[in-house]
Amino acid sequence: MAETTRDQQRAELHKTIWSIADDLRGSVDGWDFKQYILGMLFYRFISENLCTYLKEADGVDYASMDDVTAEIGRVETVNEKGFFILPSELFCNVLNHVGKDGMRLREDGKDLNELLEQVFKNIEGSAVGADSEGDFKGLFDDMDVNSAKLGNTVAERNAKLVKLITKIGGLDFGGAFQDNHIDAFGDAYEYLMTMYASKAGKSGGEFFTPQEVGELLARITLVGKTEVGKVYDPCCGSAGLLLKFAKILGKDKVRKGFFGQEINLTSYNLSRINMFLHDINFDKFDIALGDTLKDPRHWDDEPFDCIVSNPPYSIKWEGKENTLNIDDPRFSPAGVLAPASRADLAFTMHMLSWLATDGTAAIVEFPGVLYRGGAEAKIRKYLVANNFVDAVIQLPSDLFFGTTIATCILVLKKSKASNDVLFIDASAEFERVDSKNKLMPAHIDRIMGAIENRTEEQYFSKLVTNDDIIENDVNLSVSSYVEKKDDREEIDIVELNAEIARIVAREDELRKQIDAIVADLEA
């Protein structure tokens, strides 16, 4: 019954949110307009989150309080929540005083775009000088309320903003959702990201991993664990992979927090918004902006208990062009650097270096990483010879947005009980849904069953010793070890030959009959 209710709530929420996106985007490109929907969703969330916090802590109706009185608790609120919003600037109060034309119905007379610009600056400014400053800085930068994307005139832009704030305000996150069957704000975010990524193709798929793949990655790293210390993603995109741990374990079971780094500014902003929308407080996450290979930002936080990542496929990096890299403790153990044209194994070495002794890393890899020669083969030999490779999983093709490539998952551990690698061929574990292949719960469970029990199953999984892998040119391709089932129809050669003989005899008989007919006609 609870599952049915959850599905119904989710379907209702998704339908409403997509209707908002469909109605509002207009001249704004869908992938760009998500910034405005997510930004407004975030603004509403932190407003309501603050009111709930103050109601539970002090029993006050904060939305009805005057600004002067509210100022008394600013410092304490920032210390606890990381930000502060004046009552007059709460989402609900701004919504209540917006006219249909975007003009404020109060004495200040500000247009909605002017007011929102000031509110967003005030929210970010409230964290300046506090421990949360880095978590709030620039969060609203991608929601430019004065952008021509919203309209050519101030009136047009305000009309669009009025629709946006009104429709986001109309979303029912209370009532049916109060039993917490679903994480309404977080689910809304994930749905929007999935829909936009599927429609945007490569531009969206570059930093969004399907939820099912994220669940598989997290579950792989959590085998035998009911709680963990720190989780990490060095290419975190919008932080969806990190938040899978909160969903699977519960956010309080990630004791020391969520850590990630992202090079793309828009994705970096989205990742922090995503954390807040999933009610992860500022002191429980540390998302950094920058190039992980060139400037890793979490030296003081490693090692990590669980590492999950879907790094960009075969991008360029400095490699040996930067002489410092070969002495970098992350890369130097292999004795060779990943090629400058393909950084895949540089990311892999980075993650291995920052993995806890009893931790697990699950990394989505481009298939060529598993079999290419040269420096990459030498790095693979280092990984296998030192017993770091725990499993390799072949995924189905066409799972990811923006590409149809059949990727793999490389599972790394520093403390293994055996000297072998489990190869799993999950290439057939999918259903076709909305023009993409999708891992269903039964598929994930089957893969996890093999991972947890390290079982062999014909045509699906096989254990191969490290020595055998090294002897096979350190080839880690699943197809090299797991036999494909031959689904071709079996043919009875004896019966086939007999059938051919019957056909030949019949042809001879027909030929004789035709010759006889021709002879009669010529007579």
Side-chain angles (χ1 to χ4, degrees):
M1 181 65 180
E3 189 64 38
T4 301
T5 303
R6 183 183 297 112
D7 291 341
Q8 290 172 343
Q9 290 177 354
R10 185 172 286 112
E12 177 187 343
L13 180 63
H14 291 179
K15 181 180 177 181
T16 304
I17 286 177
W18 192 247
S19 71
I20 293 175
D22 210 35
D23 182 45
L24 292 177
R25 54 188 169 183
S27 61
V28 182
D29 178 75
W31 190 244
D32 287 333
F33 197 67
K34 78 183 185 308
Q35 307 299 126
Y36 293 93
I37 296 179
L38 292 172
M40 195 65 77
L41 192 68
F42 171 63
Y43 172 37
R44 176 180 167 180
F45 172 79
I46 61 173
S47 293
E48 295 182 5
N49 184 271
L50 179 60
C51 289
T52 299
Y53 166 75
L54 293 173
K55 179 73 172 178
E56 293 175 351
D58 304 319
V60 301
D61 180 6
Y62 188 67
S64 301
M65 188 180 292
D66 65 89
D67 287 356
V68 175
T69 303
E71 279 286 0
I72 298 172
R74 174 185 287 267
V75 175
E76 182 180 354
T77 301
V78 171
N79 287 337
E80 291 295 324
K81 297 298 295 178
F83 67 95
F84 181 79
I85 307 176
L86 287 168
S88 65
E89 296 183 342
L90 291 167
F91 179 94
C92 60
N93 287 332
V94 170
L95 175 63
N96 289 337
H97 293 90
V98 169
K100 292 182 180 180
D101 58 358
M103 294 296 291
R104 290 276 284 166
L105 300 183
R106 290 188 0 176
E107 63 276 5
D108 55 27
K110 285 184 178 177
D111 289 351
L112 180 56
N113 66 320
E114 292 179 295
L115 177 66
L116 288 175
E117 182 178 35
Q118 186 60 53
V119 169
F120 297 158
K121 284 182 179 179
N122 289 345
I123 293 174
E124 289 186 22
S126 70
V128 173
D131 292 340
S132 58
E133 180 175 356
D135 297 314
F136 279 86
K137 185 177 181 180
L139 267 185
F140 291 99
D141 283 358
D142 290 315
M143 192 177 171
D144 183 0
V145 293
N146 296 305
S147 172
K149 292 178 180 179
L150 291 174
N152 294 322
T153 66
V154 172
E156 289 176 351
R157 292 195 279 274
N158 275 307
K160 188 78 77 173
L161 290 170
V162 167
K163 279 188 177 182
L164 177 59
I165 193 172
T166 301
K167 287 183 175 288
I168 293 295
L171 280 174
D172 181 12
F173 286 158
F177 299 106
Q178 65 186 0
D179 54 6
N180 292 319
H181 276 160
I182 68 171
D183 175 6
F185 278 101
D187 194 82
Y189 175 95
E190 290 170 8
Y191 174 71
L192 274 169
M193 292 300 296
T194 301
M195 292 304 295
Y196 278 127
S198 65
K199 293 178 181 297
K202 191 171 187 292
S203 64
E206 282 177 347
F207 65 93
F208 186 77
T209 304
Q211 294 297 318
E212 300 76 26
V213 177
E215 179 177 341
L216 176 59
L217 293 172
R219 284 180 62 180
I220 288 171
T221 68
L222 288 172
V223 171
K225 298 181 173 114
T226 56
E227 61 179 19
V228 294
K230 292 180 284 188
V231 298
Y232 174 64
D233 182 350
C235 311
C236 67
S238 57
L241 298 186
L242 288 173
L243 285 163
K244 277 298 175 185
F245 292 96
K247 286 202 166 187
I248 293 172
L249 295 176
K251 62 182 181 181
D252 294 332
K253 296 294 185 179
V254 183
R255 301 186 310 274
K256 297 181 181 179
F258 306 79
F259 298 80
Q261 186 162 341
E262 173 55 39
I263 193 171
N264 179 280
L265 179 60
T266 296
S267 305
Y268 165 66
N269 287 336
L270 287 175
S271 67
R272 293 181 294 158
I273 287 175
N274 200 6
M275 284 289 169
F276 285 115
L277 286 177
H278 283 82
D279 203 21
I280 308 295
N281 204 38
F282 77 95
D283 57 350
K284 288 298 295 289
F285 73 86
D286 186 346
I287 308 294
L289 176 65
D291 186 330
T292 299
L293 296 181
K294 185 185 297 185
D295 182 25
R297 304 295 296 276
H298 293 102
W299 283 108
D300 295 334
D301 303 303
E302 60 93 10
F304 300 99
D305 303 288
C306 299
I307 299 178
V308 290
S309 195
N310 179 14
Y313 305 145
S314 298
I315 63 168
K316 295 180 180 179
W317 77 302
E318 290 180 331
K320 61 184 180 182
E321 293 175 6
N322 183 342
T323 56
L324 297 177
N325 282 333
I326 195 58
D327 295 320
D328 190 309
R330 298 172 297 159
F331 313 127
S332 59
V336 65
L337 296 171
S341 60
R342 297 188 291 269
D344 308 77
L345 287 179
F347 283 111
T348 301
M349 288 295 294
H350 165 78
M351 285 181 257
L352 176 66
S353 177
W354 283 15
L355 184 64
T357 302
D358 59 348
T360 303
I363 311 161
V364 178
E365 299 277 14
F366 185 83
V369 170
L370 304 179
Y371 60 78
R372 289 189 297 234
E376 290 179 303
K378 293 178 181 177
I379 295 174
R380 289 199 307 274
K381 185 173 182 179
Y382 164 77
L383 296 174
V384 174
N386 286 277
N387 203 28
F388 293 136
V389 181
D390 186 62
V392 182
I393 305 165
Q394 175 65 60
L395 294 175
S397 61
D398 205 15
L399 281 182
F400 293 83
F401 303 111
T403 181
T404 59
I405 293 171
T407 57
C408 305
I409 296 175
L410 183 66
V411 183
L412 302 178
K413 289 185 178 181
K414 285 186 174 178
S415 300
K416 287 174 55 185
S418 61
N419 292 310
D420 53 25
V421 176
L422 177 66
F423 290 89
I424 299 175
D425 184 359
S427 58
E429 301 298 305
F430 69 89
E431 284 188 16
R432 193 71 176 172
V433 179
D434 297 330
S435 77
K436 298 295 287 184
N437 291 337
K438 182 176 181 178
L439 291 173
M440 306 305 286
H443 303 138
I444 296 174
D445 288 342
R446 187 184 184 197
I447 295 169
M448 288 308 304
I451 289 284
E452 291 167 356
N453 302 308
R454 292 190 79 75
T455 52
E456 292 188 310
E457 180 182 339
Q458 189 176 23
Y459 310 127
F460 183 68
S461 59
K462 186 175 180 61
L463 288 166
V464 183
T465 67
N466 293 338
D467 289 341
D468 286 345
I469 295 171
I470 291 173
E471 192 172 323
N472 189 29
D473 298 323
V474 208
N475 189 331
L476 289 175
S477 296
V478 173
S479 59
S480 296
Y481 306 100
V482 181
E483 180 186 2
K484 282 281 187 184
K485 185 175 183 179
D486 190 347
D487 292 323
R488 294 175 297 180
E489 182 182 354
E490 289 189 16
I491 298 174
D492 187 326
I493 298 300
V494 175
E495 177 60 32
L496 178 62
N497 287 334
E499 179 64 22
I500 292 173
R502 287 193 292 271
I503 293 172
V504 170
R506 178 61 177 158
E507 287 180 343
D508 288 343
E509 180 61 29
L510 289 172
R511 189 173 292 109
K512 289 176 182 179
Q513 292 177 10
I514 293 171
D515 289 345
I517 293 172
V518 172
D520 287 343
L521 291 173
E522 292 177 344

